[in-house]
Amino acid sequence: MATEAAPEWLEKGDNAWQLSAAALVGLQSVPGLVILYGSIVKKKWAVNSALMALYAFACTMVCWCLWGFRMSFGDRLLPFVGRPDFSGLDQAGFLSAQGFAGAYPAATLLFFQFVFAAITLILVAGSLLGRMNFRAWMIFVPLWLTFSYTVGAFSVWSPNGFLFKAGVMDFAGGYVIHLSSGIAGFTAAFWVRANVIHFVGPRTAKDRESFPPNNILLTLAGAGLLWMGWTGFNGGAPYAANIDASVAVVNTHLCTATSLLVWLILDCFAFGRPSAIGAVNGMITGLVCITPAAGLVQGWAAMLMGALSGSVPWLTMMVLHKRCRLLAGVDDTLAVLHTHGVAGTLGGVLTGILAEPRLCRLFFGDDPRYVGFVYAVRGGRAGAGLRQMGVQLAGIGFILALNVVVTSVVCLLVRVAVPLRLSEEELAAGDEGVHGEDAYAVWGDGETYEQSVHGNHGYAMTDNPMTTSNSKVDDMI
């Protein structure tokens, strides 16, 4: 029976699945990418890298509720962005009413879309690990979310966005999340190469020469959370617990497994042995590539996409990157351009080629525009297929241009307030210099040498208010 807490329009099963899917995506970031980033970098950057991810998650949540959600999915302000307001704080009104999609409240949609926004910022950080000033990162996150992510999300996903109306097919974020993060991270890391405007710049020469993971087992654990969390990432995109959600989940894991295997095989041929880090890269490129197509393609197409996502980014990373002066001159710490930018672009193009008409109807409704080129030619509608390919490429071009321009402007604005790059002393010291903390205790009984002298709170032991006598505390007050 309908109640005020469960009105007639509320589908409890859909709402439960959507909240669960959002939780799975959230776990990809916290603790998934926190663990992955903290373990895949050199030991001296473990704390800094993990904390950049954790901060981005928290900051995005606050900004998303205050203005980000409505700028991404609210009333149209411009063809590419919504009107900001504080509806995201109106739990008794706006958030309790039915959302713009799905048979559940707007609060569910706000949370589901938040975890997508948060993971995008964390992915951008992957290009900048090991040298970005943490205070600069604290300013960068809300600015980039406001002026880049919201524009891409509104344009591609909002029913009022101009690319959505044009018919771009981006099932779960190949453009909005992965292409955006790949281009934004690479752009922020690029500028020092020109040596005209000093933005973030590369890591120290020593770090670039040797940057081994400090814990490969934890890297694999973080990668596992990322992979399994993608069940909610793509499975939640239909906004319902329906057939398309199930199709998306199966295609996601099929493509990812294929991509990982292909990457390992290429590693064996090229380097004579399989690599755990290579397996993680192949896993990520498979997840990224299938994202814009997860609920729109057949199983054979998902495997084909996996084979291409395990080989094309491998070639751009292992071969093209070393031969292209532009790519070789930019220090993209975790190769986000390749694993997300290239793989996201590849997925967007292949979606335009391989999208199956019936599956498109399950997701987009009875709109004849949505059809892959292969099926359009088979059905005697080559013109429709060519149009869809053109729309897919136009979407890629818009997201690429948006992130090059906005990321550059945001970096310039942040640079006015604080240096984007850590000082040479902090770059040499790593976590100890930036945060006063180490990832692994190496001295005495669970202490670093510095902690044994200065205590856990950074005070000399004789001056630490946590350990001084009451009379001395009174004197200090």
Side-chain angles (χ1 to χ4, degrees):
M1 295 179 62
T3 65
E4 186 175 5
E8 290 185 1
W9 51 262
L10 177 64
E11 288 289 344
K12 295 180 181 179
D14 288 348
N15 194 40
W17 165 239
Q18 210 63 33
L19 289 170
S20 300
L24 286 170
V25 179
L27 288 170
Q28 291 182 291
S29 297
V30 180
L33 286 174
V34 171
I35 294 173
L36 193 151
Y37 281 12
S39 58
I40 201 171
V41 297
K42 199 172 186 177
K43 173 184 171 292
K44 75 174 191 176
W45 293 113
V47 173
N48 180 260
S49 301
L51 190 56
M52 285 180 72
L54 187 63
Y55 168 79
F57 192 84
C59 182
T60 301
M61 180 61 183
V62 174
C63 297
W64 193 249
C65 290
L66 287 174
W67 65 81
F69 178 63
R70 293 293 285 167
M71 287 185 69
S72 300
F73 296 97
D75 299 330
R76 178 175 177 243
L77 177 64
L78 295 169
F80 50 82
V81 71
R83 188 183 306 278
D85 58 42
F86 296 116
S87 298
L89 300 177
D90 183 14
Q91 270 80 354
F94 173 77
L95 293 182
S96 297
Q98 187 171 4
F100 68 87
Y104 35 74
T108 299
L109 285 168
L110 180 145
F111 181 60
F112 180 74
Q113 290 297 339
F114 147 67
V115 290
F116 280 79
I119 200 172
T120 307
L121 267 301
I122 296 172
L123 294 176
V124 173
S127 293
L128 307 171
L129 300 179
R131 79 272 201 187
M132 187 171 190
N133 184 348
F134 195 86
R135 293 176 179 84
W137 178 243
M138 293 175 73
I139 303 172
F140 178 93
V141 169
L143 288 178
W144 192 86
L145 173 74
T146 301
F147 297 107
S148 180
Y149 183 84
T150 60
V151 173
F154 185 90
S155 300
V156 176
W157 280 342
S158 170
N160 298 315
F162 80 100
L163 287 174
F164 181 91
K165 292 180 178 180
V168 166
M169 292 190 291
D170 185 10
F171 186 82
Y175 290 16
V176 177
I177 297 171
H178 301 295
L179 178 57
S180 291
S181 59
I183 298 301
F186 186 82
T187 300
F190 163 78
W191 288 103
V192 75
R193 175 184 178 276
N195 205 25
V196 176
I197 304 175
H198 192 81
F199 282 88
V200 179
R203 289 164 288 170
T204 63
K206 185 176 181 180
D207 280 350
R208 292 197 74 177
E209 291 171 5
S210 177
F211 206 71
N214 66 80
N215 194 321
I216 290 181
L217 293 182
L218 279 181
T219 298
L220 293 175
L225 285 168
L226 196 65
W227 186 347
M228 290 300 101
W230 228 283
T231 300
F233 199 107
N234 290 345
Y239 293 131
N242 60 17
I243 293 172
D244 207 27
S246 299
V247 169
V249 169
V250 173
N251 280 341
T252 296
H253 295 289
L254 181 58
C255 176
T256 303
T258 304
S259 180
L260 186 153
L261 295 177
V262 170
W263 194 290
L264 280 180
I265 291 170
L266 290 174
D267 275 354
C268 289
F269 275 114
F271 308 116
R273 57 190 176 189
S275 161
I277 300 300
V280 172
N281 283 330
M283 177 204 81
I284 292 173
T285 55
L287 292 167
V288 170
C289 184
I290 195 61
T291 293
L296 307 176
V297 298
Q298 294 276 43
W300 65 266
M303 292 188 70
L304 175 61
M305 294 179 74
L308 292 173
S309 65
S311 54
V312 175
W314 187 95
L315 289 170
T316 64
M317 184 188 299
M318 302 298 180
V319 180
L320 182 61
H321 189 96
K322 297 175 182 177
R323 297 182 180 180
C324 175
R325 291 182 61 188
L326 171 62
L327 296 178
V330 177
D331 183 18
D332 181 357
T333 307
L334 298 185
V336 179
L337 175 68
H338 301 285
T339 57
H340 294 271
V342 172
T345 300
L346 179 65
V349 172
L350 291 174
T351 301
I353 296 173
L354 301 172
E356 203 274 338
R358 179 177 176 272
L359 296 175
C360 288
R361 288 197 301 273
L362 293 179
F363 187 68
F364 293 109
D366 293 323
D367 189 332
R369 294 181 303 168
Y370 297 103
V371 59
F373 180 75
V374 169
Y375 294 94
V377 171
R378 262 177 50 178
R381 301 173 56 213
L386 289 173
R387 179 197 173 280
Q388 187 62 55
M389 286 298 302
V391 171
Q392 296 297 107
L393 293 173
I396 292 170
F398 174 77
I399 295 296
L400 191 154
L402 168 70
N403 283 280
V404 168
V405 173
V406 173
T407 304
S408 300
V409 173
V410 168
C411 284
L412 185 58
L413 290 174
V414 174
R415 183 172 173 266
V416 172
V418 296
L420 286 168
R421 185 176 173 82
L422 291 167
S423 68
E424 293 303 317
E425 293 77 11
E426 290 172 320
L427 287 171
D431 289 337
E432 183 64 35
V434 179
H435 304 288
E437 298 167 318
D438 284 328
Y440 302 101
V442 294
W443 184 272
D445 187 15
E447 295 180 329
T448 65
Y449 173 75
E450 286 296 320
Q451 287 173 333
S452 69
V453 176
H454 296 294
N456 289 331
H457 299 276
Y459 300 93
M461 292 301 286
T462 56
D463 296 330
N464 188 346
M466 300 297 292
T467 59
T468 50
S469 65
N470 290 337
S471 60
K472 189 167 184 178
V473 172
D474 291 340
D475 292 340
M476 291 169 64
I477 294 174

